[in-house]
Amino acid sequence: MSLFEKRAVAAAIRTEEDFLAALKSDVEVIFLLYSSITTVGEHIKKIHDADKQAYIHMDFAEGIGKDRAGLAYIKSLGADGILTTKTSMIRPAKECGLITVQRFFIVDSHSIDTAADSIRIAKPDVVEIMPGIVCRKLKEFSGRVSGTPILAGGLIEFKEDVDNAIEAGAAAVSTANRELWNYK
């Protein structure tokens, strides 16, 4: 999977302090879970200057439209891709040349069915299953959406969580835990 060729951990960033720490870490992929039209361009540049990939969570991007124009805007700033929970954003993002990560919250068997249907329709590049500690369901889910890499995110706090998610079929994990950003 091109998104996580060398490292199976992405930095999930919510604060400026975490952003600065992620730039110095070993991660190659940074998920900006917060961003603003006034700072996103500068953040993307700093991420690229650190030889890392920049992904913008469009659902939380302040001042940036959740539409084709907003997607084209972040692409013009150099974003590598997006994260979103919205199936309707995947196709337009891909048409803009952005890598797409679609996030799903798995809380029951119905949410597994809904997510699998959405993936078949939208065809995201990567799927993030949250919370990422639901390893028993990862194997089942990955079998239902074969060919689409699975990313485990949410509540990943320990090295064992990373190892368990990868062993269960996740291609990688995303975490806000700085100690895991350098975990190999």
Side-chain angles (χ1 to χ4, degrees):
M1 171 169 116
S2 62
L3 187 58
F4 297 100
E5 286 179 6
K6 298 176 188 162
R7 298 195 45 79
V9 176
I13 305 302
R14 288 190 178 89
T15 67
E16 190 66 22
E17 184 180 347
D18 285 344
F19 177 72
L20 296 173
L23 291 176
K24 295 175 184 173
S25 76
D26 290 341
V27 297
E28 296 175 333
V29 176
I30 295 180
F31 293 160
L32 291 177
L33 302 183
Y34 77 97
S35 57
S36 159
I37 194 169
T38 60
T39 59
V40 70
E42 177 185 337
H43 282 144
I44 291 168
K45 182 180 180 337
K46 286 180 179 179
I47 291 169
H48 287 166
D49 287 348
D51 200 30
K52 301 175 188 302
Q53 296 179 48
Y55 289 76
I56 312 304
H57 197 314
M58 291 301 292
D59 303 1
F60 302 133
E62 294 181 358
I64 302 172
K66 298 356 176 204
D67 54 20
R68 286 184 192 275
L71 293 165
Y73 174 69
I74 65 155
K75 177 64 176 176
S76 74
L77 295 176
D80 297 288
I82 66 157
L83 292 92
T84 185
T85 59
K86 297 173 178 23
T87 300
S88 62
M89 289 196 71
I90 299 298
R91 185 167 292 140
K94 290 177 85 159
E95 290 170 357
C96 285
L98 294 161
I99 297 170
T100 57
V101 178
Q102 189 170 4
R103 295 178 124 192
F104 292 95
F105 294 93
I106 302 299
V107 296
D108 57 21
S109 58
H110 178 69
S111 60
I112 290 175
D113 294 338
T114 302
D117 290 342
S118 294
I119 293 162
R120 277 192 288 280
I121 292 166
K123 297 180 177 40
D125 297 303
V126 178
V127 172
E128 182 171 17
I129 300 300
M130 300 180 79
I133 59 172
V134 292
C135 293
R136 290 185 314 272
K137 286 297 181 183
L138 277 174
K139 266 201 193 323
E140 174 188 339
F141 190 77
S142 63
R144 293 184 66 181
V145 297
S146 63
T148 303
I150 305 296
L151 175 67
L155 302 176
I156 304 286
E157 298 174 346
F158 305 102
K159 293 175 182 178
E160 296 79 23
D161 297 333
V162 174
D163 295 338
N164 291 338
I166 301 300
E167 186 177 309
V173 303
S174 69
T175 181
N177 183 341
R178 292 183 194 180
E179 292 176 15
L180 295 178
W181 294 350
N182 295 316
Y183 182 59
K184 298 185 191 278

